[in-house]
Amino acid sequence: MPDFRSDTVTQPTPAMREAMFRAPLGDDVFADDPSVNALQAHAAALLGFEAALFAPSGTQTNLIALWGHCQRGDEAIVGQSWHTYRWEAGGMAVLGSIQPQPVETQPDGTLRLTDIAAAIKPDDPHFARTRLVVLENTTGGQVLPPAYVAEAAQLARSRGLALHLDGARLFNAATANAARHGTDVYDEARTLCSHFDSVSLCLSKGLGAPVGSLVLGTRDFIRQARRTRKILGGGMRQAGVLAAAGQFALEHHVRRLSDDHANLARLAEGLAQTARSHPVLQGRITVHPWQTNILFTDLAGDLAPAFVAWLAAHNVRVTSSLYGSGTRLRWVTHLDVSAADVDMALDCVARFQG
């Protein structure tokens, strides 16, 4: 059953399960779980930070970071479509008392630097105090250009603002950059992180761990983050059984992300060919540009219900949502989607009769 809904649906590999089974455990609330401590130290050193903290989810690590940079009544500049703004249940406002200042996301996934600059408030008691700029990389599968990230960081620094990265799929961005530059993926990830005061890294998306995310920053920042995690109910006890999966993912599942990107390209090219030649789908399905492991396709509204039902009936799982006058499908490749699964999905689409 090819499951393209998300890279969150992966199952631990046998080797990962073995690492979890053998993990030495302690009590992480007392900071003495050796597997958690090892993961945190390894991730911090890997990405060029002083310290890291393991938490249950990326939503929580993002909120922990925002809370670390902003006080009650402060403001964070975010993208209109960013996960931190649209998909985290308003947590920054509801729990952090932080005002989000959304900025329109451009088609290439960036925020215009002029829009960021215009959103920064003057020092005036009528306004929330702008403290933070948040970026997301990848965003909708798109990679922020490295030069753009550097320019955004320079803008934030020049205005005295902190910079946080929602790097849920950080290593997908690094993989794409490494392929483009002929460099090492770990070096690319470290370079990307070097611009940010804090980073949230998800271990349970493309990296394939069952649970968990990391927030990374300075020692003082992470010391406060530990307190915030406790407030949010994220303190876990024998969490090393989960941390061991994250450690295994960082060591063994990063370089294989290029396979996911190759499978996504295979899928996208096949769907694009179908869109040009299929007697029913021709001119009625749009395949959007892709860069990493996420693809969006748009279907004519009158065709979408039958097409989505056809996929479901043939055990091809995707996510769909209304988009304008049509329906948008999201396809995500990951650890548990093989080239054979892609071919199965393409064969299913080719046999669609409307």
Side-chain angles (χ1 to χ4, degrees):
M1 183 183 291
D3 193 339
F4 296 94
R5 290 175 298 165
S6 176
D7 45 10
T8 62
V9 303
T10 59
Q11 296 290 311
T13 64
M16 181 180 283
R17 290 176 188 267
E18 181 68 15
M20 295 169 71
F21 178 75
R22 295 187 178 279
L25 304 179
D27 188 323
D28 185 45
V29 175
F30 290 127
D32 66 8
D33 187 300
S35 296
V36 174
N37 292 341
L39 168 65
Q40 292 169 166
H42 175 75
L46 188 69
L47 296 174
F49 288 94
E50 291 181 356
L53 183 70
F54 182 60
S57 72
T59 295
Q60 188 168 111
T61 51
N62 274 328
L63 180 54
I64 287 170
L66 268 62
W67 205 334
H69 293 298
C70 300
Q71 303 301 308
R72 290 174 59 87
D74 287 347
E75 176 181 86
I77 295 173
V78 293
Q80 186 75 245
S81 64
W82 275 187
H83 202 277
T84 44
Y85 178 64
R86 181 170 290 186
W87 300 103
E88 295 183 0
M92 72 166 76
V94 175
L95 299 178
S97 297
I98 301 164
Q99 173 172 288
Q101 172 58 68
V103 170
E104 188 65 31
T105 311
Q106 299 307 303
D108 65 353
T110 64
L111 309 180
R112 287 196 187 100
L113 298 182
T114 53
D115 290 346
I116 294 175
I120 300 171
K121 306 300 186 293
D123 185 7
D124 184 303
H126 292 89
F127 302 116
R129 295 172 297 183
T130 309
R131 296 295 196 200
L132 177 67
V133 176
V134 178
L135 297 182
E136 181 176 297
N137 198 12
T138 64
T139 174
Q142 296 174 297
V143 180
L144 298 185
Y148 166 81
V149 175
E151 290 173 357
Q154 183 177 3
L155 171 61
R157 301 283 180 267
S158 71
R159 302 297 293 271
L161 305 179
L163 195 65
H164 171 68
L165 175 65
D166 178 359
R169 296 182 175 90
L170 164 70
F171 278 107
N172 289 97
T175 297
N177 289 340
R180 188 175 299 113
H181 302 149
T183 50
D184 183 74
V185 61
Y186 290 105
D187 291 339
E188 288 287 349
R190 192 177 303 109
T191 298
L192 197 162
C193 289
S194 67
H195 297 289
F196 294 89
D197 298 288
S198 61
V199 168
S200 171
L201 170 65
C202 189
L203 301 168
S204 63
K205 287 193 168 74
L207 296 181
V211 175
S213 289
L214 292 159
V215 59
L216 303 103
T218 65
R219 289 186 182 87
D220 287 343
F221 186 84
I222 296 302
R223 188 177 299 113
Q224 179 60 40
R226 180 174 289 275
R227 176 179 290 273
T228 304
R229 186 187 68 175
K230 183 65 175 177
I231 293 171
L232 296 174
M236 298 181 286
R237 299 297 180 174
Q238 285 70 47
V241 70
L242 300 175
Q247 178 83 5
F248 185 91
L250 286 176
E251 293 176 351
H252 300 284
H253 289 176
V254 170
R255 297 194 189 282
R256 63 149 309 280
L257 288 173
S258 59
D259 297 339
D260 297 340
H261 294 192
N263 284 333
L264 195 283
R266 184 188 189 101
L267 174 68
E269 290 162 2
L271 290 174
Q273 174 62 35
T274 299
R276 291 190 293 268
S277 60
H278 194 282
V280 177
L281 295 173
Q282 186 177 20
R284 308 189 74 194
I285 181 171
T286 300
V287 179
H288 289 277
W290 69 93
Q291 293 183 20
T292 55
N293 70 319
I294 299 176
L295 174 71
F296 294 98
T297 59
D298 291 345
L299 283 165
D302 60 338
L303 183 66
F307 184 77
V308 172
W310 173 267
L311 293 180
H314 292 81
N315 297 321
V316 177
R317 309 179 78 179
V318 298
T319 56
S320 63
S321 59
L322 295 177
Y323 191 82
S325 60
T327 294
R328 174 160 288 183
L329 303 185
R330 189 180 82 149
W331 309 73
V332 184
T333 52
H334 50 76
L335 179 67
D336 290 340
V337 169
S338 66
D341 291 326
V342 169
D343 291 342
M344 184 186 302
L346 290 173
D347 177 69
C348 175
V349 171
R351 290 185 286 108
F352 176 66
Q353 298 177 2

